[in-house]
Amino acid sequence: MIERMETGTRMSKIVKHNGVAYLCGQVGNGDTVTEQTRDCLSRVEALLEQAGSSPDRMLQAIIWLADMADFAEMNAVWDAWVPAGHAPARACGEAKLARDTLRVEIIVTAACD
């Protein structure tokens, strides 16, 4: 069974299938990479909870930065947020994001109930 949550015309915020939750990409508010990453991760955490999961059940994270020069700043927030011993498989790359003001986007896949 496939369960779609918060589904609109273009996408669902969460899709659950076979005990896995797939989250749509999350961006955050703020003027700095630190602020945007913190807000983004709080949104990821809220969606994980809604899906019946949590950060310690993450399987994979894909992170897009508008500029790889922001890698260390984003990682400082990420490293403080990820539960010790539960880091997911992760990739990080540079991409042109949907709006010029966006600096970071995070896509998470996690085990769920």
Side-chain angles (χ1 to χ4, degrees):
M1 183 175 102
I2 298 172
E3 180 182 359
R4 300 175 198 284
M5 304 170 76
E6 295 196 43
T7 300
T9 303
R10 181 169 293 145
M11 66 181 198
S12 298
K13 287 191 177 181
I14 303 165
V15 176
K16 293 170 64 173
H17 178 63
N18 284 341
V20 178
Y22 303 87
L23 307 186
C24 67
Q26 294 299 299
V27 296
N29 292 319
D31 295 325
T32 67
V33 171
T34 296
E35 291 170 348
Q36 286 190 22
T37 304
R38 281 188 185 132
D39 190 46
C40 179
L41 291 173
S42 73
R43 293 169 192 237
V44 166
E45 202 161 341
L47 287 176
L48 287 171
E49 182 177 327
Q50 185 179 344
S53 189
S54 60
D56 64 341
R57 300 187 75 198
M58 288 187 298
L59 303 170
Q60 180 180 48
I62 300 169
I63 302 171
W64 294 113
L65 295 172
D67 187 338
M68 285 304 289
D70 296 329
F71 187 68
E73 186 176 349
M74 177 279 300
N75 273 331
V77 178
W78 174 268
D79 291 347
W81 179 78
V82 171
H86 298 280
R90 192 187 101 163
C92 184
E94 183 177 290
K96 183 167 178 61
L97 300 180
R99 295 186 309 274
D100 290 340
T101 56
L102 295 175
R103 309 300 304 153
V104 61
E105 181 171 357
I106 301 175
I107 305 161
V108 167
T109 302
C112 65
D113 297 330

